[in-house]
Each structure stands twice: as C-alpha cells, then as structure tokens.
Amino acid sequence: HDGYILTNNHVVDGPDNMTIEVTLSDGRSFPAKIVGKDPSYDLAVIKIEAASLPVAKFASSSKTRVGEFAIAIGAPFSLEYSVTFGHVSAKGRSNIIPASFSSTMQDQDFIQTDANINPGNSGGPLVNIDGEIIGINTLIRGLRTGIGFAIPSDLAREVSDALITSGKFTRAWLGVGIRGVRESTELQEQFPGIEDGVLVTAIVRDGPSAKSDLRVGDVITKVDGKRVATVQELRNQVRGKKIGKPVALEVVRKEKTLRVS
C-alpha cells in the first residue's frame, strides 16, 4: 500500500542504482527504486511513488494444504497478466537446486504446484482460491511438466519486511553440520527410537554453538519448544531468531533428552 512491490531478485538483476520502469495494469508507468535484494532467496523489493494502489493480500503458507487450488499469475513468454490454474502438489520441497548449480540458494523451502508455470512467470504471485498470495513463483523443472515451485508466502513476507526495514535480510545460524534422521536409512537404524530430528555432524570452530554444550552426535528435536523433524524445519526455526540471543534446543543424546542453550 506504500508502493512496495515484491518480486524475484533476478527480475531486477543489476546494480542497485539502475533505473527500472514499472507499468501497472491500468496503464500508468513509474520509475522504480530498488529497496533491497536477497539473492539467497531470489527475492527483491522495489518501490514506486504512487497513490491509490490496490493491495495484494497475503495468506499464511503454513495454513496452505496440499491439494487445494492454486492460481499462478505472471507474464510467460512476455504475455502479461496470464493466469494458469492447478493445485498445491506438495509443501516443504528442498534440494531442488543442486549445490553444483547454485552456491547461493541453498536454504530451500518451496511450495510445489502443477499450475502451469513458464519462463516469465517468475516474480508473479501464486494465489489461493480467494486470491490471497500463498507463494512467489520462482522456478520450474522442465517445460510442460506440471512441476513448478514457489517461495512460501510466510518466508517471502519475512524476507521482504526485512528488506523494507533495513535493505537486507540477516540470517541467524547455529554453526553446525546437520543431517535429517528421516532422510537416511542408515541414521534411522543408528537411532531406532527417534523417528524425526536433525543429527549434529559437526560444530563450526568459533561458531555460535562452539562454546555451548551441544555435541557432535546429538539429535536436535526442538527449537525453543517447537518440534523440528527435518533439516529444513530446523533452518526455518533458527533463521529468524534475534542475533546474539540464546535459543533452547531439545536434543537426544545416548537415549536421554537434554536441553541445551
């Protein structure tokens, strides 16, 4: 409502002082200023000076359910304001972009949809049946496959709010190497009493956890009382924590449940 526009980072890829022209659906054009960009999540915020703008409403992606309707809006092949229709195919998709392909976008948590997404849809919204934003269209796996991915609205809003406030998004981290127990048959056999959790495989020297009581071999099951079942869930819980403040981890160590700060 203040003229802020959320889009993908690569849509405005270039110097921060570059001139961008934005044309609205009512035909009005405005010069735009880059407020902030975050390459790791492929998100950017730009700003135009305009009044009486319509406001796109956000839904919480945490409440989005697999199977519900999804509508993708964008400009595929430069055909502006195109709309395609489908469903939410899955949530919490990670490891979509191989590390060898991208060294930046490694914290991946995507909504998968079969709504037809093509080149040019990136930066457009994925909305629910009520027209509320549930994601930002980001990438596809092959043309005409029905496999597209969107950044969840909760994450997009968290990042964009920070970009608007400070021009950057700062991530908290634990400074540990991790593996999901459920992601490995070997780990499931090694920890037979633990169905979900994240194994600590290494602790970064001089990192945030280096002087804590956390140990290699601990399985983290909760962060500040909230259950974490996978590597991505742990990242999601830690990412937005206030820098320099302690977090309470619940860990399993040799079949005992402990709390570690």
Side-chain angles (χ1 to χ4, degrees), residues 139-155:
L139 52 92
I140 56 177
R141 176 167 286 178
L143 289 173
R144 296 178 293 278
T145 60
I147 302 177
F149 300 96
I151 300 167
S153 59
D154 289 348
L155 175 56

Side-chain angles (χ1 to χ4, degrees), residues 4-8 43-46 58 123-124 136 156-157 160 163:
Y4 292 106
I5 300 173
L6 174 61
T7 184
N8 279 145
L43 288 171
V45 174
I46 59 180
F58 278 78
I136 306 296
R157 189 155 197 174
S160 61
L163 293 178

Side-chain angles (χ1 to χ4, degrees), residues 12-20 34 37:
V12 292
D13 196 15
D16 290 346
N17 59 356
M18 68 184 291
T19 301
I20 301 172
I34 298 176
K37 299 189 290 185

